[in-house]
Amino acid sequence: MNHAALARDLAIVRDGLPARHGKRHRVIVVGAGMAGLAAAHELLRAGHDPLVLEARGRAGGRIYTMREPFAPGLYGEAGAMRIPRSHQLTLAYVQAFGLSVKPFTMHNPNAYCHLFGRKMRLSEFERNPELLGSELAEHDRGLTSGARFEALMKPFAEKIERDGEPGWAEIAARYDGYSTREFLEEAGWSEAAIELYGLVCNQEAIINACFLELLREEVGRFYTDMVRIDGGSDQLPNAFLSGLRDRVRFGARMIAIDQSERDVTVHYRTAAGRRQASADYAIVTVPFPVLRHVEALKPFSHAKRRAIRQLRYDASAKIFFQCARRFWEVDDGIFGGGTVTDLPVRNVYYPESGRATGRGVLLASYTWSEDAQRWGSLPPDERIEQALEDLAQIHPQVVECFEVGASWMWHDDPFAGGAYALFEPSQQRLLHEHIIAPEGRIHFAGEHASLAHAWIQGAIESGLRAAREIHADRKSTRLNSSHLGIS
């Protein structure tokens, strides 16, 4: 997001949408995730008449703080768990709602690196990467994978700092067709070096995704200086509900959408049967895997249909252990951060919440792509058993301290169909403009309708964009005075 666009959106969070003359619009917002909530919130502030239809029984979408089956004071973040300080737009809403944040520790040298059958502290590995026994060529030695990759990123960061958006456009034109693997191969990295980078930097499962996805996060400093919302990420979407509560209909799953030159009608199903709502405009924020099963009675354009079919969504899985004591802190001196492994659990995180209870919820496994799909193929009880076996190789104490486990598979969630959008090579050029383009009176938002895939920031950016598009339209409306024409 360029500086001018960020300043514009920060002004909206602070002051609302710009003043305008003309009709106020009735708007159906499909989905109460962060994109839908931000759009509805700002449209309401500007005097419009939004109705939010949400299929789930809660707000937040892929922000999901699991408080069950854990003891009081404990929870696991099944979805978004951290916010980079560089995501000023997200933090502007956090501040606007008076929520408090605490540091989120990404890197902890006391955490472990468990690869190729060897376990050591990350600090040991960073001092001497050769200790792992990876078969690195002589020219690959001397720097950790992370440090070597940072050196590769520096010229990109300098170019963007110097040239701004034109610099980004030039980089995108050059590298959109590259996967991360292809980029590293062209940079002269050996297969052993690529493997080690993929393992240590948690990229192995998505090494064939579009390189621009990774570049955007690295240059944008998405993984440095991070915070978490104190008390749980779900406090952010729930804060929007205070002003929108009577305008959100839960348990309402869109099954079809229609439009004319003058209005939009959303057909939805509740436990009580099929209903519909009509308005001047609609903002559809549901992920494309879900939208693909919604009937567009007036068919979308070919370009939109292709984007809905082809946009890749990545799988993601989390497995949580409630433990009777925080052995990783008391015994191992690990306060926050994460352990990397080549075991099926792959990445282990040490949440810092819940310390006052004496217990803790350990993120025993955080995986994505093929790694996550393999966990999803197991029954829930077997996920816990297998993760316990893996984690005991790193922390033997878990066998005695384990109390209860839980897991969440975003790719098996019928309301998500995946954890986040993730471009394949060339998909930014081929799909992005068609993903975000309106179809008549239907506008689109969600993290997939931004270039900050997988982040709250991207969802908010897209929601504000859709709200601006509708707010700027001064066309007269047909609907009668009944609230949104619901029947």
Side-chain angles (χ1 to χ4, degrees):
M1 194 176 198
N2 63 45
H3 295 304
L6 177 60
R8 175 202 59 209
D9 284 354
L10 287 172
I12 292 173
V13 177
R14 184 182 65 245
D15 304 320
L17 290 161
R20 65 187 282 282
H21 300 289
K23 296 288 185 179
R24 297 305 191 232
H25 300 304
R26 296 178 177 89
V27 184
I28 299 171
V29 179
V30 185
M34 288 304 303
L37 292 171
H41 175 78
E42 297 304 342
L43 287 170
L44 182 61
R45 287 177 72 192
H48 299 286
D49 187 11
L51 170 70
V52 182
L53 300 178
E54 168 54 48
R56 294 182 174 92
R58 61 172 181 84
R62 282 162 285 175
I63 293 178
Y64 179 29
T65 304
M66 295 178 67
R67 301 183 186 276
E68 297 288 342
F70 307 119
L74 299 176
Y75 56 84
E77 297 288 8
M81 64 181 180
R82 51 199 172 185
I83 303 170
R85 287 197 184 274
S86 61
H87 285 188
Q88 298 177 48
L89 192 56
T90 305
L91 291 174
Y93 274 121
V94 170
Q95 183 176 15
F97 288 119
L99 304 178
S100 62
V101 299
K102 290 187 175 179
F104 183 97
T105 305
M106 267 298 293
H107 178 75
N108 188 335
N110 282 340
Y112 289 105
C113 183
H114 187 288
L115 301 174
F116 313 122
R118 299 189 63 181
K119 184 179 86 169
M120 65 185 67
R121 300 278 186 167
L122 281 173
S123 57
E124 294 179 81
F125 166 72
E126 288 164 353
R127 285 194 302 269
N128 190 356
E130 288 75 24
L131 286 175
L132 279 178
S134 180
E135 297 176 359
L136 293 173
E138 190 62 37
H139 69 275
D140 288 328
R141 297 175 179 268
L143 285 176
T144 64
S145 298
R148 190 177 180 193
F149 190 79
E150 286 177 13
L152 272 183
M153 295 297 100
K154 187 176 180 182
F156 291 104
E158 291 173 345
K159 181 175 182 59
I160 292 163
E161 181 67 26
R162 181 178 66 249
D163 300 338
E165 282 303 299
W168 257 124
E170 186 179 333
I171 290 169
R174 170 75 171 84
Y175 290 102
D176 182 44
Y178 280 68
S179 68
T180 299
R181 167 178 287 282
E182 290 168 332
F183 171 77
L184 294 176
E185 287 174 345
E186 187 173 278
W189 286 38
S190 68
E191 181 56 36
I194 293 173
E195 179 190 18
L196 190 59
Y197 164 74
L199 290 169
V200 174
C201 297
N202 304 335
Q203 293 293 316
E204 186 174 59
I206 55 175
I207 199 78
N208 292 312
C210 181
F211 168 62
L212 293 182
E213 295 275 26
L214 178 59
L215 178 65
R216 194 170 288 109
E217 293 185 334
E218 291 292 329
V219 172
R221 300 180 63 80
F222 284 17
Y223 290 102
T224 58
D225 195 10
M226 309 185 84
V227 297
R228 58 184 173 90
I229 296 177
D230 191 19
S233 296
D234 60 354
Q235 291 186 92
L236 180 56
N238 289 342
F240 282 89
L241 290 181
S242 61
L244 293 169
R245 193 172 302 278
D246 63 345
R247 294 176 175 274
V248 179
R249 174 159 294 184
F250 292 110
R253 183 171 190 168
M254 178 174 66
I255 55 175
I257 189 166
D258 196 10
Q259 65 174 312
S260 68
E261 292 183 358
R262 296 188 293 178
D263 66 359
V264 179
T265 298
V266 173
H267 300 266
Y268 63 96
R269 182 176 287 124
T270 73
R274 181 167 174 163
R275 306 193 68 181
Q276 66 183 50
S278 296
D280 303 314
Y281 295 94
I283 299 175
V284 173
T285 73
V286 297
F288 278 6
V290 179
L291 188 58
R292 191 171 184 187
H293 296 284
V294 173
E295 184 179 4
L297 298 177
K298 181 179 181 181
F300 294 145
S301 66
H302 171 78
K304 181 69 74 175
R305 295 198 306 270
R306 184 182 68 160
I308 293 170
R309 288 197 319 269
Q310 294 183 359
L311 177 61
R312 174 186 173 184
Y313 274 74
D314 204 20
S316 178
K318 287 184 176 180
I319 301 173
F320 301 96
F321 291 170
Q322 177 181 306
C323 299
R325 66 184 187 91
R326 304 172 74 91
F327 55 81
W328 57 92
E329 295 177 350
V330 177
D331 301 347
D332 297 311
I334 304 172
F335 295 85
T339 282
V340 296
T341 83
D342 55 6
L343 301 170
V345 290
R346 299 307 294 264
N347 309 298
V348 181
Y349 279 90
Y350 306 97
E352 297 179 82
S353 60
R355 192 169 286 139
T357 69
R359 288 175 162 82
V361 172
L362 187 67
L363 180 46
S365 176
Y366 183 15
T367 56
W368 39 90
S369 201
E370 292 295 326
D371 290 327
Q373 289 173 359
R374 290 162 187 158
W375 283 111
S377 69
L378 298 177
D381 289 348
E382 286 190 28
R383 295 173 197 157
I384 305 304
E385 293 172 8
Q386 293 292 323
L388 270 168
E389 289 183 12
D390 283 1
L391 196 61
Q393 297 184 50
I394 303 163
H395 297 289
Q397 311 98 308
V398 72
V399 176
E400 295 297 326
C401 295
F402 174 82
E403 292 184 324
V404 66
S407 62
W408 193 261
M409 311 285 122
W410 283 107
H411 46 292
D412 291 338
D413 185 328
F415 306 120
Y420 48 83
L422 184 72
F423 282 149
E424 295 176 352
S426 298
Q427 284 197 330
Q428 179 171 318
R429 172 178 57 84
L430 293 172
L431 301 183
H432 179 65
E433 66 178 285
H434 305 299
I435 292 169
I436 66 175
E439 292 278 318
R441 291 178 172 268
I442 302 171
H443 296 251
F444 297 85
E447 52 85 27
H448 59 282
S450 77
L451 288 177
H453 293 159
W455 295 94
I456 297 172
Q457 179 97 346
I460 292 174
E461 286 176 12
S462 70
L464 295 185
R465 172 185 46 74
R468 289 197 315 271
E469 290 168 351
I470 291 173
H471 181 67
D473 195 325
R474 295 173 172 80
K475 290 196 288 283
S476 61
T477 63
R478 177 193 65 82
L479 291 184
N480 60 37
S481 59
S482 63
H483 179 70
L484 287 162
I486 295 175
S487 63

